Amino acid sequence: MLIDMQRDFLEPQGYLAGLGYDLGGVRGAIGPAQQLLAAARAAGLCIIHTRQGYRPDLAEVPAHKLARIQAGQSAIGKPGPLGRFLIRGEPGFQIISELAPVPGEFVVDKTANSAFWGTDLAAILTARGIRALILAGVTTDVCVHCTLREANDRGFECLLAGDACGSGDAEAHRAALHMVTVEDGVFGVLADVDAIVTALDRMDRPIATPTAAEIPQDAVREESSYLGDWSI
Protein backbone atom coordinates (compact mmCIF):
# COMPACT_ATOMS: atom_id res chain seq x y z
CA MET A 1 0.00 0.00 0.00
CA LEU A 2 1.27 3.43 -1.01
CA ILE A 3 -0.55 5.98 1.10
CA ASP A 4 -1.37 9.49 -0.13
CA MET A 5 1.63 10.07 -2.42
CA GLN A 6 -0.18 13.06 -3.87
CA ARG A 7 0.92 16.37 -5.33
CA ASP A 8 -0.72 18.27 -2.46
CA PHE A 9 1.62 16.56 -0.01
CA LEU A 10 4.78 16.30 -2.10
CA GLU A 11 5.04 19.33 -4.37
CA PRO A 12 6.05 22.90 -3.46
CA GLN A 13 2.73 24.30 -4.67
CA GLY A 14 0.66 21.91 -2.56
CA TYR A 15 -1.20 21.79 0.71
CA LEU A 16 1.64 20.65 2.99
CA ALA A 17 4.07 23.28 1.72
CA GLY A 18 1.32 25.87 2.09
CA LEU A 19 1.23 25.07 5.81
CA GLY A 20 4.91 25.98 6.02
CA TYR A 21 6.36 22.48 6.34
CA ASP A 22 9.75 21.55 4.92
CA LEU A 23 9.11 19.11 2.07
CA GLY A 24 12.48 17.43 2.44
CA GLY A 25 11.01 14.98 4.91
CA VAL A 26 8.29 13.80 2.52
CA ARG A 27 10.13 14.08 -0.78
CA GLY A 28 12.90 11.90 0.60
CA ALA A 29 10.40 9.02 0.56
CA ILE A 30 9.80 9.22 -3.20
CA GLY A 31 12.94 7.37 -4.33
CA PRO A 32 12.58 4.46 -1.89
CA ALA A 33 8.86 4.27 -2.67
CA GLN A 34 9.66 3.98 -6.39
CA GLN A 35 12.08 1.14 -5.64
CA LEU A 36 9.52 -0.61 -3.45
CA LEU A 37 6.75 -0.20 -6.02
CA ALA A 38 8.91 -1.63 -8.80
CA ALA A 39 9.81 -4.65 -6.66
CA ALA A 40 6.18 -5.22 -5.65
CA ARG A 41 5.08 -5.11 -9.27
CA ALA A 42 7.82 -7.53 -10.29
CA ALA A 43 6.75 -9.91 -7.51
CA GLY A 44 3.13 -9.78 -8.66
CA LEU A 45 1.77 -8.34 -5.42
CA CYS A 46 -1.62 -6.66 -5.18
CA ILE A 47 -0.89 -2.94 -5.18
CA ILE A 48 -3.15 -0.34 -3.61
CA HIS A 49 -2.73 3.44 -3.75
CA THR A 50 -4.70 5.80 -1.52
CA ARG A 51 -5.63 9.45 -1.94
CA GLN A 52 -6.83 11.87 0.73
CA GLY A 53 -9.45 14.35 -0.44
CA TYR A 54 -12.90 15.79 0.09
CA ARG A 55 -16.00 16.57 -1.95
CA PRO A 56 -15.97 20.07 -3.47
CA ASP A 57 -18.89 21.06 -1.23
CA LEU A 58 -17.13 19.63 1.87
CA ALA A 59 -20.37 17.83 2.73
CA GLU A 60 -18.57 14.98 4.52
CA VAL A 61 -16.41 17.22 6.72
CA PRO A 62 -17.48 17.04 10.41
CA ALA A 63 -18.85 20.22 11.94
CA HIS A 64 -15.86 20.93 14.17
CA LYS A 65 -13.43 20.57 11.25
CA LEU A 66 -15.67 22.65 9.02
CA ALA A 67 -15.67 25.39 11.66
CA ARG A 68 -11.85 25.43 11.56
CA ILE A 69 -11.95 25.76 7.77
CA GLN A 70 -14.46 28.60 7.93
CA ALA A 71 -12.39 30.35 10.58
CA GLY A 72 -9.27 30.14 8.41
CA GLN A 73 -7.55 27.72 10.78
CA SER A 74 -7.45 24.93 8.18
CA ALA A 75 -6.38 25.24 4.55
CA ILE A 76 -8.58 22.39 3.31
CA GLY A 77 -10.63 23.59 0.34
CA LYS A 78 -8.74 26.86 -0.02
CA PRO A 79 -7.51 27.83 -3.51
CA GLY A 80 -3.88 27.14 -4.34
CA PRO A 81 -1.57 26.76 -7.34
CA LEU A 82 -2.72 23.15 -7.78
CA GLY A 83 -6.41 23.94 -7.33
CA ARG A 84 -8.33 23.78 -4.07
CA PHE A 85 -6.29 22.01 -1.42
CA LEU A 86 -7.22 18.35 -0.84
CA ILE A 87 -10.34 18.49 -2.99
CA ARG A 88 -11.16 15.50 -5.17
CA GLY A 89 -10.61 16.08 -8.86
CA GLU A 90 -8.18 18.97 -8.41
CA PRO A 91 -4.61 18.69 -9.77
CA GLY A 92 -3.19 18.58 -6.25
CA PHE A 93 -5.35 15.57 -5.40
CA GLN A 94 -3.59 13.42 -8.00
CA ILE A 95 -0.80 10.96 -7.25
CA ILE A 96 2.64 12.20 -8.34
CA SER A 97 3.81 11.01 -11.74
CA GLU A 98 6.77 9.11 -10.28
CA LEU A 99 4.38 6.74 -8.50
CA ALA A 100 1.37 6.87 -10.80
CA PRO A 101 -0.85 3.77 -10.71
CA VAL A 102 -0.91 1.48 -13.74
CA PRO A 103 -3.93 -0.49 -15.01
CA GLY A 104 -4.87 -3.24 -12.60
CA GLU A 105 -3.76 -1.39 -9.48
CA PHE A 106 -6.34 -0.15 -7.01
CA VAL A 107 -6.86 3.47 -6.00
CA VAL A 108 -8.79 4.01 -2.76
CA ASP A 109 -10.05 7.53 -2.10
CA LYS A 110 -10.62 8.46 1.53
CA THR A 111 -11.71 11.37 3.69
CA ALA A 112 -10.36 10.07 7.00
CA ASN A 113 -6.77 9.52 8.07
CA SER A 114 -7.20 5.74 8.06
CA ALA A 115 -7.59 4.20 4.63
CA PHE A 116 -10.12 1.76 6.08
CA TRP A 117 -12.66 4.29 7.35
CA GLY A 118 -15.57 4.78 4.95
CA THR A 119 -13.86 3.00 2.05
CA ASP A 120 -14.00 -0.40 0.34
CA LEU A 121 -10.39 -1.21 1.25
CA ALA A 122 -11.32 -4.01 3.67
CA ALA A 123 -13.59 -5.58 1.06
CA ILE A 124 -10.82 -5.50 -1.56
CA LEU A 125 -8.35 -7.17 0.80
CA THR A 126 -10.88 -9.80 1.89
CA ALA A 127 -11.88 -10.62 -1.68
CA ARG A 128 -8.26 -11.35 -2.52
CA GLY A 129 -7.48 -13.29 0.63
CA ILE A 130 -4.81 -10.80 1.67
CA ARG A 131 -3.60 -11.20 5.25
CA ALA A 132 -0.37 -9.18 5.28
CA LEU A 133 0.39 -5.61 4.21
CA ILE A 134 3.52 -3.69 3.26
CA LEU A 135 2.84 -0.01 3.93
CA ALA A 136 4.61 3.16 2.81
CA GLY A 137 3.69 6.76 2.10
CA VAL A 138 2.96 10.08 3.77
CA THR A 139 2.64 11.32 6.29
CA THR A 140 4.23 8.76 8.60
CA ASP A 141 2.68 10.19 11.75
CA VAL A 142 -0.86 10.73 10.46
CA CYS A 143 -2.38 8.77 7.56
CA VAL A 144 0.27 6.05 7.41
CA HIS A 145 0.14 5.41 11.14
CA CYS A 146 -3.65 5.55 11.35
CA THR A 147 -3.91 2.99 8.54
CA LEU A 148 -1.22 0.80 10.11
CA ARG A 149 -2.93 0.82 13.50
CA GLU A 150 -6.35 -0.04 12.10
CA ALA A 151 -4.89 -2.76 9.90
CA ASN A 152 -3.23 -4.23 12.97
CA ASP A 153 -6.52 -4.14 14.91
CA ARG A 154 -8.26 -5.87 11.99
CA GLY A 155 -5.80 -8.75 12.20
CA PHE A 156 -3.48 -7.95 9.30
CA GLU A 157 0.24 -8.63 9.63
CA CYS A 158 1.92 -5.30 8.90
CA LEU A 159 5.34 -4.36 7.58
CA LEU A 160 6.22 -0.65 7.46
CA ALA A 161 8.85 0.47 4.95
CA GLY A 162 10.47 3.14 7.09
CA ASP A 163 12.55 4.92 4.46
CA ALA A 164 9.63 4.96 2.01
CA CYS A 165 7.62 7.04 4.50
CA GLY A 166 7.92 10.73 5.26
CA SER A 167 6.57 13.62 7.27
CA GLY A 168 6.87 17.38 7.35
CA ASP A 169 7.88 17.03 10.99
CA ALA A 170 11.14 15.11 11.45
CA GLU A 171 10.52 14.35 15.13
CA ALA A 172 6.99 13.11 14.46
CA HIS A 173 8.37 10.84 11.72
CA ARG A 174 11.03 9.45 14.05
CA ALA A 175 8.50 8.87 16.83
CA ALA A 176 6.02 7.20 14.48
CA LEU A 177 8.67 4.73 13.30
CA HIS A 178 9.75 4.07 16.87
CA MET A 179 6.19 3.31 17.97
CA VAL A 180 6.04 0.40 15.54
CA THR A 181 8.87 -1.30 17.45
CA VAL A 182 7.59 -0.88 21.05
CA GLU A 183 6.23 -3.85 22.99
CA ASP A 184 8.16 -6.20 20.72
CA GLY A 185 6.50 -4.87 17.58
CA VAL A 186 2.98 -4.20 18.81
CA PHE A 187 1.93 -2.66 15.48
CA GLY A 188 4.06 -4.75 13.15
CA VAL A 189 7.57 -4.88 11.74
CA LEU A 190 9.81 -2.05 10.57
CA ALA A 191 12.33 -2.50 7.73
CA ASP A 192 14.04 -0.47 5.05
CA VAL A 193 13.27 -0.85 1.37
CA ASP A 194 16.51 -2.63 0.47
CA ALA A 195 15.73 -5.41 2.95
CA ILE A 196 12.15 -5.70 1.69
CA VAL A 197 13.27 -5.87 -1.95
CA THR A 198 15.77 -8.61 -1.06
CA ALA A 199 13.01 -10.56 0.68
CA LEU A 200 10.66 -10.16 -2.28
CA ASP A 201 13.40 -11.44 -4.57
CA ARG A 202 13.73 -14.53 -2.39
CA MET A 203 9.99 -15.08 -2.45
CA ASP A 204 10.01 -15.00 -6.24
CA ARG A 205 12.48 -17.84 -6.54
CA PRO A 206 11.01 -21.26 -7.37
CA ILE A 207 10.48 -23.41 -4.29
CA ALA A 208 12.11 -26.81 -4.58
CA THR A 209 9.55 -29.62 -4.50
CA PRO A 210 10.76 -32.81 -2.74
CA THR A 211 10.45 -36.11 -4.55
CA ALA A 212 8.18 -38.82 -3.20
CA ALA A 213 11.21 -40.70 -1.88
CA GLU A 214 12.28 -37.67 0.14
CA ILE A 215 8.92 -37.27 1.90
CA PRO A 216 8.61 -39.21 5.17
CA GLN A 217 5.89 -41.81 4.95
CA ASP A 218 4.20 -40.47 8.08
CA ALA A 219 4.21 -36.88 6.85
CA VAL A 220 0.81 -35.26 6.62
CA ARG A 221 0.54 -33.24 3.46
CA GLU A 222 -1.67 -30.22 3.73
CA GLU A 223 -2.63 -27.52 1.30
CA SER A 224 -0.56 -24.44 2.06
CA SER A 225 -0.63 -20.81 0.99
CA TYR A 226 3.10 -20.47 1.70
CA LEU A 227 4.77 -18.41 -1.02
CA GLY A 228 8.36 -18.62 0.10
CA ASP A 229 10.57 -17.08 2.80
CA TRP A 230 10.27 -13.29 2.56
CA SER A 231 10.81 -12.57 6.25
CA ILE A 232 12.97 -9.54 7.01
Side-chain angles (χ1 to χ4, degrees):
M1 287 186 64
L2 283 178
I3 298 172
D4 299 358
M5 298 298 276
Q6 298 162 251
R7 299 182 68 190
D8 259 339
F9 293 117
L10 293 162
E11 295 190 3
Q13 303 85 8
Y15 166 80
L16 197 64
L19 297 180
Y21 285 103
D22 178 6
L23 294 187
V26 289
R27 291 195 61 81
I30 296 175
Q34 287 180 290
Q35 183 185 359
L36 179 62
L37 179 59
R41 285 170 173 165
L45 301 189
C46 176
I47 295 170
I48 299 174
H49 306 258
T50 75
R51 298 186 297 192
Q52 176 87 3
Y54 304 87
R55 290 166 50 102
D57 58 7
L58 302 179
E60 75 277 59
V61 178
H64 69 284
K65 292 185 179 181
L66 189 60
R68 294 186 66 244
I69 294 172
Q70 293 170 341
Q73 298 170 338
S74 172
I76 293 173
K78 303 301 181 184
L82 299 177
R84 295 174 65 199
F85 290 137
L86 295 182
I87 297 298
R88 298 186 179 193
E90 298 283 358
F93 175 69
Q94 305 306 323
I95 295 169
I96 60 172
S97 60
E98 296 95 319
L99 296 166
V102 300
E105 296 177 356
F106 296 96
V107 179
V108 174
D109 291 338
K110 61 190 181 67
T111 57
N113 295 324
S114 169
F116 287 94
W117 194 91
T119 73
D120 54 4
L121 174 59
I124 292 171
L125 298 175
T126 299
R128 279 149 187 79
I130 294 172
R131 297 170 299 182
L133 303 175
I134 303 173
L135 299 102
V138 299
T139 59
T140 322
D141 46 312
V142 185
C143 291
V144 174
H145 229 270
C146 285
T147 302
L148 169 72
R149 285 167 176 256
E150 185 165 352
N152 176 267
D153 283 343
R154 288 172 176 262
F156 291 96
E157 186 177 6
C158 297
L159 168 60
L160 183 64
D163 52 343
C165 296
S167 172
D169 186 312
E171 181 59 21
H173 170 75
R174 185 204 64 78
L177 295 184
H178 174 68
M179 280 190 287
V180 179
T181 70
V182 301
E183 298 182 36
D184 296 322
V186 65
F187 294 123
V189 177
L190 181 66
D192 61 30
V193 167
D194 284 343
I196 296 171
V197 170
T198 298
L200 289 176
D201 286 344
R202 288 206 309 267
M203 184 185 75
D204 245 2
R205 293 174 183 172
I207 303 171
T209 302
T211 65
E214 295 171 327
I215 301 174
Q217 294 301 310
D218 59 350
V220 178
R221 304 197 62 177
E222 297 179 351
E223 187 67 23
S224 173
S225 59
Y226 177 65
L227 297 178
D229 179 12
W230 62 282
S231 58
I232 301 303

